[in-house]
Amino acid sequence: MLLRHGETEWSRSHRHTGGTDLPLTPAGEAAASALRSRLAGWSPSAVVVSPLLRARRTAELAGLTDPILDDRLAEWDYGEFEGRTTADVNAERAAAGQQPWVLWRDGAPGGESPDRVGARVDALLADVGELRRDGDVALVAHAHILRVLAARWLGQPVSFGASLVLDVARVSVLGHEHDWPAVLSWNADGVAPSA
């Protein structure tokens, strides 16, 4: 199960938030708390969480206990574009006669490339595979890294994540259909996993 953190000031204004450690807004705390009742009765064997405050607090409010903090779940490093919106970056690039910036293709100057993020996620998925032997695993993190994780789960390139919209405080479930990696649920408002 993938769980995106609740709203922050920057997620509300669509600013790229990589390593900047922002707290949840009151609305983000309320949405994360609402997930507790929706996930009631589901007990993952492991909870793996990004070390950033917004993810840790979301896991706590959702009732996911005993988290394993893993740096590989930290959000994409946006480098020079940290704290900026895509619209602002592309307006600046257009004024300079440059092509529009596409994170999924270009990566982030001074930050991470798609290949680097993909390698980070692939290593994490290998370890999650070991954890899954004991039961379901919850992963609590951020929009872009979870979208990359789903793409790589499906055996797709990192850029496939561009097609997977993921709102704040939403739950997605990855699993298998006839032993084939599949998305069982995506961007749901908190439905307990069934696989």
Side-chain angles (χ1 to χ4, degrees), residues 16-115:
H16 291 289
T17 317
T20 303
D21 210 4
L22 299 175
L24 299 178
T25 62
E29 293 232 348
S33 295
L35 291 171
R36 181 181 291 262
S37 63
R38 295 182 187 137
L39 297 175
W42 179 64
S43 250
S45 62
V47 176
V48 185
V49 180
S50 162
L52 296 169
L53 174 63
R54 57 195 183 271
R56 292 191 336 261
R57 182 69 174 144
T58 297
E60 175 188 353
L61 292 170
L64 299 172
T65 58
D66 301 321
I68 301 165
L69 300 183
D70 195 315
D71 290 337
R72 296 172 296 182
L73 273 176
E75 182 58 295
W76 197 311
D77 179 349
Y78 299 116
E80 296 171 21
F81 296 155
E82 178 79 4
R84 302 189 64 200
T85 67
T86 299
D88 288 342
V89 169
N90 283 333
E92 184 177 281
R93 290 173 68 88
Q98 298 173 324
Q99 71 175 7
W101 172 61
V102 177
L103 174 69
W104 304 98
R105 177 192 66 214
D106 305 327
E112 286 182 294
S113 69
D115 287 344

Side-chain angles (χ1 to χ4, degrees), residues 51-180:
L52 296 169
L53 174 63
R54 57 195 183 271
R56 292 191 336 261
R57 182 69 174 144
T58 297
E60 175 188 353
L61 292 170
L64 299 172
T65 58
D66 301 321
I68 301 165
L69 300 183
D70 195 315
D71 290 337
R72 296 172 296 182
L73 273 176
E75 182 58 295
W76 197 311
D77 179 349
Y78 299 116
E80 296 171 21
F81 296 155
E82 178 79 4
R84 302 189 64 200
T85 67
T86 299
D88 288 342
V89 169
N90 283 333
E92 184 177 281
R93 290 173 68 88
Q98 298 173 324
Q99 71 175 7
W101 172 61
V102 177
L103 174 69
W104 304 98
R105 177 192 66 214
D106 305 327
E112 286 182 294
S113 69
D115 287 344
R116 182 174 172 129
V117 173
R120 177 162 55 105
V121 165
D122 288 346
L124 174 66
L125 280 172
D127 290 344
V128 168
E130 292 297 316
L131 292 172
R132 287 188 70 235
R133 292 180 185 193
D134 296 327
D136 291 336
V137 176
L139 302 169
V140 185
H142 318 277
H144 282 127
I145 200 69
L146 291 176
R147 292 164 69 182
V148 171
L149 197 145
R152 300 303 298 144
W153 174 262
L154 297 171
Q156 297 298 316
V158 168
S159 61
F160 183 82
S163 299
L164 300 171
V165 175
L166 187 56
D167 297 320
V168 293
R170 294 298 176 126
V171 175
S172 301
V173 181
L174 305 179
H176 291 88
E177 174 70 17
H178 303 295
D179 297 324
W180 196 262

